[in-house]
Amino acid sequence: MMFHLITLLSLTPFALGAPTALVATCDRDFLKAQAASYVAAQKAGTPSLLTNSSGSPITYTQNFKTATLSTGILSTPLRIDHNRSIYDTTQCATYTELISTEPNNQHVIGTQLRFSSTQFTGDTHILSLSKIETIVTSKGDWLFDPPSTLKYSSQESSQGLWDEIPLAKRDTRAVIQAAGDAYLDLFNNKSVKVPWGTPCARLEGGSYIQPSCNVGVPSGIKNVNRRYVVDEVLGTVDVFFEFAGAQPDSHEFRVEGGKLRLMHTMTVMK
């Protein structure tokens, strides 16, 4: 179900006869359920599993071009070999990484879901899916190699490298986003101070670069039109942007103690 409600009952004597007020709330449980629904929809090739409960239209883009759910990748059943999601309760958004190594149908996909509060009736509000942005990489895209992407991404997850960060050690969302922005700004400004962590690993397509991420960063490249999903619990930010002002790109960063420790990137080249 693409909605989430919490009941608030006034305890004042004058309100005892008043109707119960229902308002929308966005928490991790809600976002986890929506990310799971997205993965199930992609696995089945059934976009209707993401039906918007408010009835309002859903904005859908694929590789930053306006598309339709009925003709986009969500209508293609995929064997999902690995998935991992992050949850932004401030913006009410999620980001999910999907990897499929199915023969003749290989993809690495990154998807941001965004939810909005809509007045349903009277004092009732619901959270509904309002926007889906998905980046779909396939043969011909930058360093595309799903088996290798699966190998390294699964290895990191099994080692707990993307696990929750203890409360006392968590960075603020501002610090997490700033670390990712510093890296992306470095492409066009070599004087930017990037908070490099040690060790740091960058999964770029299917290429795994470690123990330093401060290698192979190009110059003269502007990364523009950034959209963020930030998860303080996981110390992670995903950024959708236009690489060199043109190519659809996702960079996901893991930040620990203000330092960059992990990166996953995907770039559409065609």
Side-chain angles (χ1 to χ4, degrees):
M1 298 289 289
M2 300 306 294
F3 63 92
H4 195 50
L5 301 175
I6 185 170
T7 302
L8 300 179
L9 177 61
S10 172
L11 298 180
T12 63
F14 300 102
L16 292 177
T20 300
L22 297 173
V23 297
T25 185
C26 185
D27 56 26
R28 292 185 74 81
D29 288 341
F30 168 74
L31 292 175
K32 286 179 179 180
Q34 307 320 308
S37 292
Y38 162 69
V39 174
Q42 184 60 82
K43 184 177 180 180
T46 307
S48 61
L49 294 178
L50 289 174
T51 298
N52 187 328
S53 60
S54 72
S56 56
I58 299 173
T59 300
Y60 177 67
T61 68
Q62 185 167 306
N63 293 340
F64 299 174
K65 296 180 180 178
T66 300
T68 64
L69 291 172
S70 60
T71 59
I73 191 67
L74 264 172
S75 290
T76 301
L78 293 180
R79 187 187 75 197
I80 306 300
D81 298 307
H82 179 78
N83 74 89
R84 182 177 49 76
S85 296
I86 66 174
Y87 316 100
D88 187 333
T89 57
T90 298
Q91 296 189 91
C92 205
T94 68
Y95 170 73
T96 300
E97 172 190 86
L98 299 177
I99 304 171
S100 176
T101 62
E102 184 177 1
N104 303 316
N105 200 21
Q106 296 188 346
H107 295 285
V108 178
I109 299 172
T111 298
Q112 292 186 355
L113 303 180
R114 298 188 183 274
F115 302 85
S116 301
S117 177
T118 303
Q119 186 171 5
F120 187 63
T121 179
D123 291 327
T124 302
H125 287 70
I126 59 174
L127 283 172
S128 295
L129 180 63
S130 56
K131 188 172 187 179
I132 305 172
E133 285 193 279
T134 190
I135 291 178
V136 183
T137 59
S138 54
K139 186 177 180 180
D141 289 323
W142 182 249
L143 298 177
F144 184 73
D145 183 357
S148 292
T149 305
L150 175 62
K151 172 186 174 181
Y152 294 118
S153 190
S154 299
Q155 178 178 292
E156 289 178 347
S157 293
S158 66
Q159 292 174 354
L161 300 184
W162 294 89
D163 284 359
E164 293 187 3
I165 294 175
L167 180 60
K169 295 184 177 181
R170 290 175 192 168
D171 291 305
T172 65
R173 61 187 295 114
V175 167
I176 296 167
Q177 181 174 320
D181 274 335
Y183 179 82
L184 297 178
D185 290 344
L186 185 66
F187 286 51
N188 193 51
N189 182 357
K190 292 304 180 183
S191 68
V192 172
K193 302 299 183 183
V194 179
W196 303 112
T198 303
C200 182
R202 185 172 80 230
L203 181 55
E204 187 171 345
S207 177
Y208 203 58
I209 301 162
Q210 60 172 336
S212 173
C213 294
N214 189 15
V215 293
V217 180
S219 301
I221 301 294
K222 291 184 178 181
N223 298 317
V224 300
N225 298 329
R226 301 176 192 179
R227 286 90 76 198
Y228 306 88
V229 175
V230 183
D231 186 333
E232 302 98 312
V233 176
L234 297 174
T236 304
V237 57
D238 176 72
V239 191
F240 273 14
F241 62 95
E242 295 167 16
F243 179 85
Q247 277 81 36
D249 194 300
S250 170
H251 271 53
E252 184 183 16
F253 303 91
R254 165 80 167 201
V255 180
E256 299 176 10
K259 306 293 185 181
L260 295 171
R261 297 301 298 270
L262 297 169
M263 303 181 194
H264 284 195
T265 84
M266 57 184 78
T267 309
V268 176
M269 300 298 294
K270 55 189 185 299

